[in-house]
Amino acid sequence: MHFAEERLSSGLRRPLVAAALIAFGQLSLFWPGLVEPDALAVYQHALTNHFDDWHPPILGRTWQLFLALGLEGTGPFYVVQTILFWLGLGLIADGLAAAGKSTAGWCVLAVGLVPHILGWNTLVLKDTQMTDCLIAAAGLWAHWRLRDQPLPRAAVAAILVLFIYALLVRHNGIFSAAPMAAFMALDAQKRWRQQYRAAAAVIACILVFGASDFLNQRVMDAKPALAENSLKIFDMAGTAHFANLPTIEGIPPAEWRRAEARNCYWPALWDSYNTPVEQEGCPWVYDRLWSKNLTAPWLRTIAAHPFAYARHRLAHFNASLRLWTSRYNYDAASPAESDNPNPEHIGQGNKAVYWALLKTQMAFDYTPLSRPFAWYLLGFALLLISFWQAPSGARTVAQALLVSACVNGASFLVIGVAAEFRYHHWSLIAIGVAAPLIYSQHFARKGLITTVLAVGITALFAAAFIGYMVRHDEWAPIEASTWVDPPENAAQ
């Protein structure tokens, strides 16, 4: 009997062992991780001890701790990120295996190997760090919740730390973290006295979000960079573009006409208004507006032209989710090498391995796997299905992940200034992990629902393939130059 129990316990640990082996393989193959311009800028801040809050100061201050220990470059962060990611997936998979749902557990691990998810997880980046903190927190919660056991104090403390870091490393992480924290706090299977620790996560989200400027500027000594003005400039420019306004507040009409003539408005990105002239940008817009308080002009522009503002925001949302786009799938695959200039030569991995990963991603680049809208459709469908199920730990964890993912995606209707694929990294993982959690449980008409979902997913893949075949890079059905496609200079 004792031997049988020991074998069962060993079997239940297999997902954790597999997750550890995959993590080791990822570290070995893609060591020491890549960096993009944002992380390179933060590394310079860490080296010079001169910080601003355009990029998360907590990332730079943590990097300084590694540097003080003699750990240079991207390696230390890459190790921490990879461990957190596979620990989170491994704990969820182990919880499912403990409940007798080992197949669903292996499916959870498989989510981490989806090419576009794995690719972006090899970068040292604030977005992936937020993702890895949240999935580790979800794993710690699920490990006990799937067993219907209360969380130990140590686990609650670790979850709080992970949530706080996720909120500070990615300012709009509030849209991802708060919904999941709310589900932890409002878990219907627990009495209030047993969930007050999890409720602290909700309070922590609100407090950290509200105090982030104070923490960044006073505690971590970062100069204010007025990063919030990027959204205001982008919204004012987009509204003026769709309303055919002669200019926006603060910009002479002649200079606005010059910006429009250069085709600087592109719904996917605000960056062209802060791009040098020699790179076909319109930096005079940034130079004239950046240091000003733009809240009142921003609100006045929206109030005066709400339909043009709505067109602008919907155009950005479309570009971000890749719903109605041409073959040009902006920045879906992760890069195959670190960005330059890179004077410290950090993040220099095996180029052959990274190029192989890039080619793998490109093989799926024109399928729904690289289109966030398809993942969100799946997430919304799974969320609806979950309400047909009896309450369970798996359903609660899945709903927390799905609501977190969907709220994060919906936030780009109002706050997005760039349509980069990495902004949806957390949502894809949360939805992917939620799927086996949902399907591991019993519910009415499971066969019918599975058939409908299978037909729907097949139709999505077929539509994506047909769309790829019939469209051309220079053409899309809906106002290509002002809706989904990049301006000529951006495409180049």
Side-chain angles (χ1 to χ4, degrees):
M1 181 69 176
H2 177 73
F3 178 73
E5 289 178 353
E6 185 176 335
R7 288 190 62 186
L8 178 62
S9 176
S10 176
L12 296 182
R13 287 196 296 269
R14 285 177 185 170
L16 277 175
V17 173
L21 291 174
I22 296 171
F24 179 77
Q26 180 181 321
L27 286 171
S28 302
L29 284 172
F30 302 104
W31 177 264
L34 301 184
V35 285
E36 281 200 320
D38 289 359
L40 282 172
V42 175
Y43 193 68
Q44 287 296 323
H45 293 172
L47 291 174
T48 61
N49 200 38
H50 292 103
F51 289 86
D52 63 52
D53 61 1
W54 182 274
H55 303 295
I58 192 170
L59 177 57
R61 292 301 183 188
T62 307
W63 227 327
Q64 284 187 326
L65 293 177
F66 289 132
L67 290 169
L69 296 172
L71 303 173
E72 299 180 352
T74 56
F77 263 126
Y78 185 52
V79 170
V80 173
Q81 287 181 201
T82 305
I83 290 175
L84 287 176
F85 182 75
W86 288 106
L87 175 65
L89 294 184
L91 287 172
I92 296 172
D94 184 65
L96 285 167
K101 308 290 184 181
S102 57
T103 301
W106 294 117
C107 289
V108 167
L109 295 182
V111 171
L113 298 175
V114 172
H116 284 80
I117 291 177
L118 175 63
W120 285 101
N121 211 40
T122 63
L123 273 78
V124 174
L125 196 64
K126 57 189 177 185
D127 307 275
T128 54
Q129 289 194 8
M130 183 197 80
T131 290
D132 297 336
C133 285
L134 291 181
I135 198 63
L140 287 170
W141 175 43
H143 180 72
W144 280 276
R145 186 64 189 87
L146 293 175
R147 293 171 169 83
D148 287 319
Q149 297 174 356
L151 270 70
R153 291 185 179 181
V156 174
I159 288 171
L160 287 172
V161 170
L162 290 167
F163 268 64
I164 291 170
Y165 187 89
L167 286 162
L168 289 176
V169 81
R170 186 74 192 157
H171 194 63
N172 62 354
I174 185 71
F175 297 103
S176 302
M180 191 161 68
F183 267 82
M184 291 181 180
L186 302 176
D187 187 346
Q189 298 298 305
K190 303 290 184 181
R191 297 194 303 272
W192 171 252
R193 289 183 180 179
Q194 293 177 314
Q195 64 179 328
Y196 72 93
R197 300 167 188 163
V202 179
I203 298 171
C205 290
I206 297 171
L207 292 179
V208 173
F209 178 74
S212 58
D213 286 344
F214 173 82
L215 293 171
N216 289 336
Q217 297 170 17
R218 299 298 179 87
V219 177
M220 288 179 276
D221 195 27
K223 296 180 180 179
L226 302 175
E228 64 275 9
N229 276 352
S230 60
L231 173 64
K232 297 169 185 175
I233 291 175
F234 187 48
D235 285 348
M236 291 167 65
T239 303
H241 176 85
F242 282 109
N244 294 316
L245 300 182
T247 189
I248 60 178
E249 290 191 43
I251 302 295
E255 293 192 3
W256 178 249
R257 288 195 298 271
R258 180 186 173 201
E260 288 288 87
R262 291 175 74 87
N263 206 15
C264 275
Y265 176 70
W266 180 29
L269 290 170
W270 86 281
D271 295 45
S272 59
Y273 297 109
N274 186 26
T275 299
V277 172
E278 56 269 22
Q279 297 179 22
E280 304 298 327
C282 303
W284 58 88
V285 177
Y286 170 93
D287 294 338
R288 284 184 176 273
L289 298 180
W290 197 254
S291 60
K292 297 181 179 180
N293 185 342
L294 298 178
T295 301
W298 174 55
L299 294 176
R300 282 195 295 268
T301 302
I302 294 172
H305 306 280
F307 292 107
Y309 168 74
R311 287 186 68 189
H312 154 67
R313 291 311 318 178
L314 287 171
H316 175 75
F317 193 61
N318 173 73
S320 183
L321 269 61
R322 275 83 165 168
L323 175 60
W324 191 258
T325 57
S326 70
R327 290 185 183 182
Y328 184 79
N329 193 3
Y330 172 70
D331 195 29
S334 62
E337 55 185 306
S338 290
D339 201 77
N340 288 299
N342 187 348
E344 284 76 28
H345 302 289
I346 64 173
Q348 304 299 312
N350 188 318
K351 291 186 177 181
V353 173
Y354 274 103
W355 275 103
L357 178 59
L358 175 64
K359 294 295 185 181
T360 303
Q361 293 177 77
M362 290 175 67
F364 295 94
D365 213 13
Y366 301 100
T367 74
L369 285 176
S370 70
R371 306 281 170 163
F373 83 88
W375 290 82
Y376 287 116
L377 284 175
L378 175 62
F380 186 70
L382 291 170
L383 186 59
L384 291 178
I385 292 170
S386 71
F387 290 106
W388 293 356
Q389 296 179 309
S392 67
R395 188 185 82 155
T396 300
V397 174
Q399 287 179 335
L401 292 169
L402 292 170
V403 173
S404 173
C406 291
V407 171
N408 177 60
S411 71
F412 293 99
L413 269 171
V414 292
I415 65 162
V417 297
E420 296 178 58
F421 188 86
R422 57 191 171 102
Y423 298 148
H424 302 283
H425 192 240
W426 161 247
S427 294
L428 269 59
I429 291 168
I431 293 167
V433 170
L437 283 167
I438 292 293
Y439 269 85
S440 68
Q441 307 303 301
H442 296 289
F443 55 94
R445 299 183 179 180
K446 188 172 184 176
L448 175 61
I449 293 173
T450 302
T451 301
V452 172
L453 280 178
V455 170
I457 292 171
T458 302
L460 278 175
F461 272 87
F465 178 75
I466 293 170
Y468 170 72
M469 295 300 294
V470 303
R471 294 180 188 171
H472 302 284
D473 288 335
E474 67 276 10
W475 177 83
I478 304 178
E479 296 184 61
S481 64
T482 56
W483 184 259
V484 292
D485 285 349
E488 183 179 350
N489 55 302
Q492 292 172 353

